[in-house]
């Protein structure tokens, strides 16, 4: 049996819609029936429902053979996993946001420390990064930071907090990843799943 680690929340809903679009209704029906379960079994696969940041950990450790997570999560973590394919959901992008445009942003609040540091290194500007786990908009709203680096889908949350996207950066989407050992030991089953996922739009 193949074990797949999935991110709970919005990405799970997007994955269920994706499964329906490619007629994998046995999987989508099983996932739609979930209330508080963290493990969901079907005849062919076992799903582990975890926090998005933890998906690559379960895959790297071999607890899960496959995982579905955002490219933003993979960017922040240097995990020894296989990045197998892009998936057609979870679209958003990194953005630097602030109350108003400035020439420099000396202090930036974010949960994406690696991406933020790499960006400011690339433009050769020094930056102090304040690491926050959630509600990063508040840091710029109350002037604890000059700007925030976050992922943006519609920009509504930014606008609701008096912020505007100043610089649009890398695009983000969902990715299918695998454990390195499982990719070889369970290759036939994994390749079958990849082929099914490629049916979208076909």
């Amino acid at each position: 049996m193949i074990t797949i680690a999935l991110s709970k929340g919005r990405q799970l809903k997007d994955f269920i819609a994706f499964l329906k679009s490619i007629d994998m209704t046995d999987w989508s029906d099983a996932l739609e029936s979930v209330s508080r379960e963290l493990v969901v079994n079907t005849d062919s696969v076992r799903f582990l429902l975890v926090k998005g940041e933890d998906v690559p950990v379960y895959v790297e450790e071999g607890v899960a053979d496959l995982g579905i997570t955002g490219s933003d999560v993979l960017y922040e973590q240097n995990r020894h996993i296989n990045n197998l394919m892009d998936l057609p959901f979870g679209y958003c992008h990194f953005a630097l946001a602030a109350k108003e445009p400035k020439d420099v942003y000396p202090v930036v609040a974010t949960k994406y420390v690696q991406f933020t540091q790499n960006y400011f290194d690339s433009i050769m500007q020094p930056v102090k990064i304040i690491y926050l786990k959630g509600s990063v908009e508040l840091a710029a709203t109350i002037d604890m930071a000059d700007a925030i680096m976050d992922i943006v889908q519609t920009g509504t949350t930014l606008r609701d907090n008096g912020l505007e996207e100043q610089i649009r950066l890398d695009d983000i989407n969902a990715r299918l990843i695998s454990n390195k050992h499982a990719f070889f030991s369970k290759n036939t089953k994994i390749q079958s799943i990849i082929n099914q996922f490629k049916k979208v739009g076909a």
Side-chain angles (χ1 to χ4, degrees):
M1 179 177 284
I2 294 289
T3 300
I4 304 177
L6 300 176
S7 174
K8 295 182 287 186
R10 179 188 297 170
Q11 193 175 85
L12 178 59
K13 293 179 181 178
D14 290 345
F15 180 54
I16 291 171
F18 168 68
L19 291 173
K20 289 180 178 179
S21 75
I22 56 174
D23 296 321
M24 295 184 71
T25 52
D26 52 338
W27 288 16
S28 62
D29 289 348
L31 290 170
E32 276 192 315
S33 67
V34 169
S35 56
R36 295 182 181 274
E37 300 97 319
L38 299 177
V39 179
V40 180
N41 291 301
T42 74
D43 291 338
S44 59
V45 70
R46 178 176 68 163
F47 295 107
L48 306 179
L49 304 181
V50 302
K51 288 193 66 172
E53 293 87 349
D54 293 338
V55 168
V57 181
Y58 282 88
V59 172
E60 183 183 50
E61 293 297 323
V63 177
D65 306 304
L66 298 173
I68 294 173
T69 192
S71 53
D72 56 314
V73 174
L74 298 178
Y75 196 102
E76 287 294 301
Q77 299 183 26
N78 184 26
R79 297 287 173 187
H80 296 288
I81 50 92
N82 292 326
N83 195 338
L84 298 182
M85 66 182 290
D86 290 321
L87 294 171
F89 57 90
Y91 294 114
C92 50
H93 60 274
F94 282 110
L96 190 71
K99 290 180 181 177
E100 56 188 17
K102 298 180 179 179
D103 292 332
V104 295
Y105 299 93
V107 181
V108 175
T110 187
K111 67 179 286 187
Y112 300 102
V113 174
Q114 187 70 37
F115 183 87
T116 303
Q117 188 64 62
N118 288 349
Y119 168 70
F120 279 91
D121 286 349
S122 74
I123 61 173
M124 293 181 287
Q125 282 189 12
V127 64
K128 174 184 176 182
I129 297 174
I130 300 175
Y131 174 65
L132 295 175
K133 289 187 176 181
S135 301
V136 293
E137 297 85 6
L138 180 62
T141 301
I142 64 173
D143 298 321
M144 183 170 79
D146 300 294
I148 64 168
M149 183 74 78
D150 205 2
I151 57 173
V152 177
Q153 190 167 42
T154 64
T156 301
T157 304
L158 293 179
R159 291 188 292 272
D160 287 348
N161 288 279
L163 304 178
E164 294 182 7
E165 185 175 321
Q166 304 299 332
I167 303 172
R168 180 181 175 126
L169 296 165
D170 295 18
D171 290 332
I172 296 165
N173 63 289
R175 300 272 177 85
L176 177 68
I177 62 175
S178 80
N179 175 269
K180 285 184 174 290
H181 176 71
F183 184 72
F184 292 101
S185 64
K186 300 182 179 181
N187 185 263
T188 300
K189 291 181 179 179
I190 290 174
Q191 195 59 53
S192 175
I193 291 170
I194 292 173
N195 291 339
Q196 287 178 289
F197 284 0
K198 288 180 177 178
K199 285 182 184 177
V200 65

